[in-house]
Amino acid sequence: MSTPLEDAMDTLIKIFHHYSGKEGDRYKLSKGELKELFASKLTNFLSGQKDPLLVDKIMEDLDSNKDNEVDFNEFVILVAALIVACNDFFEKQLKKEGF
Amino acid sequence: MSTPLEDAMDTLIKIFHHYSGKEGDRYKLSKGELKELFASKLTNFLSGQKDPLLVDKIMEDLDSNKDNEVDFNEFVILVAALIVACNDFFEKQLKKEGF
């Protein structure tokens, strides 16, 4: 049986390929696929976000090789950055509460 | 309700703090805590691994600021590297099967 950490890693891989396989290169996310992934899978996370250009900006930042698509390694860097941001917030809260 | 991707991100944060809080700096993993996390949470992933010095080697690689502890950012880099390795294997299999 797999552990929760292994399941979490597996989830990331599955979600990426679910969206990347929709159109064009099936191993890369186009801007449309990235937008769809964000809207469906980071719903709560991005619910406070009102910037209509957010996905364009993220795409530009992530797409280090400038091919207008996001490969898996670029996607993991984005998710890692989001997790670190969440954790910073979480640790600040804990420290505020005296832990 | 949270999405599976948000749950996966949450899992990573919770697991880190469950182990980092056991001894010493509660926001960092000591070598003992890292060993325990690996043994309990990456059981299947590391089941083929027989190198008794594996954790020591990973600790040395991860601990970029040489304080003999792994902070959350260093931990996320490790997990990201593991996920990328898993995904490389997964994509190779898919390509072999003609996808």
Side-chain angles (χ1 to χ4, degrees), chain A residues 1-3 5-6 12-13 17 27 41-45 72-73 76 80 83 86-87 91 94-95 99, chain B residues 1-3 5-6 12-13 17 27 41-45 72 76 80 84 86-87 91 94-95 99:
Chain A
M1 231 189 69
S2 59
T3 69
L5 180 55
E6 291 165 342
L12 230 76
I13 294 177
H17 289 279
Y27 297 106
K41 302 298 175 194
L42 288 169
T43 331
N44 301 290
F45 202 91
F72 188 78
N73 297 11
V76 167
I83 299 175
C86 286
N87 182 66
E91 287 194 2
L94 280 178
K95 283 173 185 166
F99 282 99
Chain B
M1 230 189 71
S2 58
T3 69
L5 179 56
E6 290 165 342
L12 228 76
I13 294 176
H17 289 280
Y27 298 105
K41 301 298 175 196
L42 288 169
T43 331
N44 302 291
F45 202 92
F72 188 77
V76 167
V84 165
C86 284
N87 181 67
E91 288 194 0
L94 280 178
K95 283 174 185 165
F99 281 100

Side-chain angles (χ1 to χ4, degrees), chain A residues 2-93:
Chain A
S2 59
T3 69
L5 180 55
E6 291 165 342
D7 287 342
M9 293 165 60
D10 193 46
T11 298
L12 230 76
I13 294 177
K14 282 195 181 133
I15 287 176
F16 178 86
H17 289 279
H18 177 76
Y19 288 90
S20 72
K22 285 179 185 253
E23 58 174 32
D25 186 328
R26 68 167 58 234
Y27 297 106
K28 291 179 179 176
L29 292 169
S30 66
K31 201 183 282 183
E33 289 166 342
L34 187 66
K35 260 185 190 153
E36 217 182 316
L37 189 159
F38 277 11
S40 312
K41 302 298 175 194
L42 288 169
T43 331
N44 301 290
F45 202 91
L46 299 174
S47 61
Q49 258 300 338
K50 301 272 180 260
D51 184 351
L53 292 176
L54 180 71
V55 175
D56 300 75
K57 285 180 193 160
I58 290 179
M59 187 77 171
E60 204 172 303
D61 282 350
L62 280 183
D63 182 21
S64 53
N65 62 357
K66 301 292 166 214
D67 66 350
N68 247 321
E69 300 207 278
V70 169
D71 67 20
F72 188 78
N73 297 11
E74 291 165 343
F75 173 70
V76 167
I77 290 169
L78 162 70
V79 176
L82 290 177
I83 299 175
V84 165
C86 286
N87 182 66
D88 285 349
F89 181 78
F90 179 67
E91 287 194 2
K92 258 182 214 141
Q93 287 302 109

Side-chain angles (χ1 to χ4, degrees), chain B residues 48-67:
Chain B
Q49 259 300 340
K50 301 273 179 261
D51 184 351
L53 292 177
L54 181 71
V55 176
D56 300 74
K57 286 179 192 164
I58 291 178
M59 187 76 170
E60 205 170 303
D61 282 349
L62 282 183
D63 180 22
S64 53
N65 63 358
K66 303 290 166 214
D67 66 351

